[in-house]
Amino acid sequence: MGGWNELYRENILDHYKHPRNRGTLEQPDITYEDANPLCGDELRMELRVKDGRIEQVRWTGHGCSISQAAASMLSERIEGRTLDEVKQLSRDDMLEMLGIELGPVRLKCALLALKTLKAGVYGITQWPGEEEEEGGS
Amino acid sequence: MAQWTATAALPQPRPFDPRAVRQQFPIFRARREPPLVYLDSAATSQKPDAVLEAMNEYYSLYNANIHRGIYRIAEQATAAYEDARAHLARFLNAGSPREVIFTRNSTEALNLIAYSWGRANLRAGDAILLTEMEHHSNLVPWQILAAERQVELRFIPMTPEGELDLEPLPRLLGDGRVKLVSVVHVSNVLGTVNPVAEIVSAARAAGAVVVVDASQSVPHLPVDVRALGCDFLACTGHKMLGPTGIGALWGRRELLEAMPPFLGGGEMIREVKLTESKWNELPWKFEAGTMAIAEAVGLGAALLYLEGLGMDAVFAHDRELAAYALGRLREVPDLRLLGPPLERRGGVIAFELGDIHPHDVATVLDSHGVAVRAGHHCAMPLHRKLGVVASVRASFHCYSVPEEVDALVEGLHHARSVFG
């Protein structure tokens, strides 16, 4: 079913109402913006990177609670991690952080932050989880 | 044989009882917890027993391809299909059933005009006049055509209240370059009922052919193509209690006669040689391949059902419910209604709820069993013009009841408490 009480678990609402790492950096090494025009979710991620390790993350954006909570959770997860570790993050990792089941429309909300991050760091512009299909034969 | 061949049913005493109507729709009889509160009829309507039975009867008793078989059930199927066409012609007050071409939906009807009429008649330097209120289906086919033919696209502006601003119309039509005007009758987002007859007379006076996108009007109010004065009109079955996969294009006979075919294939030809063919006559010239026969039969049953209610009564019901909903929605703090005043709208209400994203609103409403549309409703330019990213939309039909509005309002209060 996926009613509001399942979808909007306390931690999602907490991240939505009290977003972590929201803001901008003075001199980011990597900046990337992406949007999900179908729902109007927008996201901008800024990273400061030193020796292949993410020192600081800030993000701004607006959209639904899922997209914004996902950005907040992801920013916490990647701070201090290497770019290689970021590359390994999968769609399932993101869904695990959110801890919910999502239908196809709202899956894009959940994955926008990870998509933006990967595009900024690696230039991978496909939706997480769809890279193989699109890059394949 | 076919119940829909009966002479058009006289309207029953009005107004009808929406609760009794509701009982004739199996989806509302199905038990579920919470009960279904269906406020998304502008996306697609629910289907009454009569429609489902008519389709089932076709498949169960006389399933055969049309216009071909020299046997009884094939003739029966052909008669039922052509009866549905004649019925729709009467429903729209068209001059002849030959002017009614079955399509998959309004989108295909609009594309048919763009491909067939547009490619035969538009040259570089011509212009097409649309409005800022259009559904994507009445924008994209013209954008494709405009790019291909170096045709200019012009737009009748929309006011912040969500109504067409006709003041610049004389200027937009003034240079004589506009060859086609295509305008939505009732907005799928805001419910605005546009002054189409006024636009038609100005456009025709300027020598333009006029298309009306009647996707949201034909299902909800009396539409008379001759009274509107337009040249083409597009409508779709699934928003008018009929099945998906069947829609129609109505066009003036002389225009349709002069147009080249849209799709090539069987049925649309009179004679085929290996390298050339002669086209069939109207309307079959535009109906290539096996059509959606069961769906046409279902649409015929839907028309009969709507006639039983009376289209005046359906529209009165929509507006009564819209009036009730507008009043109740004003009770909800931070709710911002979009669109025109009640006098100029049908049974569609779009709104924003504070800063809460429409998807979040819709998800909370879903937990109350309330089905609404959240997003841009295939009208991104309209939303951009209103300065909103997306909206929540509630829309009604003949089976909608005030209790559904109450459930919506209750759900909205809940959404505020979750995200407040």
Side-chain angles (χ1 to χ4, degrees), chain A residues 4 7-8 17 39-40 65 106, chain B residues 357 359-360 363 367 414 418:
Chain A
W4 74 274
L7 203 48
Y8 301 126
K17 292 177 185 176
C39 6
S65 58
R106 304 213 65 186
Chain B
H357 193 280
H359 280 177
D360 289 324
T363 301
S367 72
H414 185 193
V418 172

Side-chain angles (χ1 to χ4, degrees), chain A residues 1-4 7-8 13 16-17 37-41 62-66 105-106 109, chain B residues 33-34 355-357 359-361 363-364 366-367 375-376 380 389-390 414 417-420:
Chain A
M1 280 287 286
W4 74 274
L7 203 48
Y8 301 126
L13 283 176
Y16 176 59
K17 292 177 185 176
L38 284 178
C39 6
D41 295 340
H62 57 257
C64 72
S65 58
I66 304 291
V105 173
R106 304 213 65 186
C109 310
Chain B
E33 192 49 47
D355 294 334
I356 310 173
H357 193 280
H359 280 177
D360 289 324
V361 176
T363 301
V364 175
D366 179 49
S367 72
H376 52 61
M380 289 174 101
V389 174
H414 185 193
S417 76
V418 172
F419 292 102

Side-chain angles (χ1 to χ4, degrees), chain B residues 131 133-134 162-166 183-187 191-199 228 344:
Chain B
T131 84
M133 197 188 276
E134 301 306 318
E163 298 187 72
L164 293 181
D165 176 7
L166 297 190
V183 54
V184 67
H185 194 179
V186 172
S187 163
T192 315
V193 182
N194 289 319
V196 167
E198 197 181 323
I199 297 169
L228 283 179
R344 291 188 292 281

